Amino acid sequence: MALLFSALLTGLLFGAGLAASDMNNPQRVQGFLDVFGNWDPSLMFVMGSALLIGIPGFQWILKTQKKPALGKRFYLPLNKAIDKQLIIGSIIFGIGWAIVGYCPGPAIAALGYGYGDVFIFVGAMMLGAKGHQLLAKKS
């Protein structure tokens, strides 16, 4: 029960941070990505602040804790190779983010606004994830 409450609280805090910083506004995101047009650098400060807090925080936790407070172990990526699959996936992600203005976290947070386009995006995102899962099993 504590794990579920912690996940809910963390998700609500994350969503509130996205809303407060306007990162779940696709026009703001597209303005940030439009570096050759009407560029809006404001999200750079949001992302920079998150990195300044997040990177040292994660490093400190991993060095001082043997396991998470509410879990059996830390789940860290095992594959550290920059391969064709990573590059193609990154390109697809970036193109989708630039065209639509949503990435997964902010899109899920934006569901609360009830915009039709975000429901379409999240549905397509879930179908894409399931399609990748099915294709990955075949390989």
Side-chain angles (χ1 to χ4, degrees):
M1 189 65 171
L3 184 60
L4 288 175
F5 180 72
S6 173
L8 176 66
L9 187 61
T10 302
L12 288 171
L13 183 61
F14 180 67
L18 291 173
S21 65
D22 213 22
M23 279 194 76
N24 54 358
N25 177 349
Q27 287 79 30
R28 170 87 58 184
V29 172
Q30 287 171 326
F32 172 70
L33 296 172
D34 187 10
V35 293
F36 298 113
N38 191 18
W39 187 52
D40 178 2
S42 61
L43 292 185
M44 182 172 41
F45 298 106
V46 173
M47 288 188 244
S49 300
L51 290 172
L52 282 173
I53 295 168
I55 291 173
F58 277 113
Q59 294 302 314
W60 180 73
I61 291 287
L62 291 172
K63 285 181 182 176
T64 60
Q65 306 294 318
K66 292 182 181 173
K67 67 180 191 101
L70 300 174
K72 294 179 183 175
R73 67 180 185 93
F74 289 110
Y75 292 90
L76 300 172
L78 300 175
N79 182 6
K80 295 182 181 175
I82 298 175
D83 58 7
K84 180 180 169 184
Q85 188 176 5
L86 176 66
I87 292 169
I88 291 171
S90 300
I91 290 169
I92 292 170
F93 176 88
I95 290 170
W97 191 32
I99 291 171
V100 182
Y102 288 118
C103 66
I108 291 170
L111 286 172
Y113 294 125
Y115 301 143
D117 63 335
V118 76
F119 283 95
I120 294 168
F121 175 83
V122 170
M125 179 180 72
M126 291 168 62
L127 283 172
K130 189 62 175 173
H132 176 268
Q133 187 181 43
L134 294 173
L135 288 172
K137 282 184 183 178
K138 290 183 180 181
S139 322

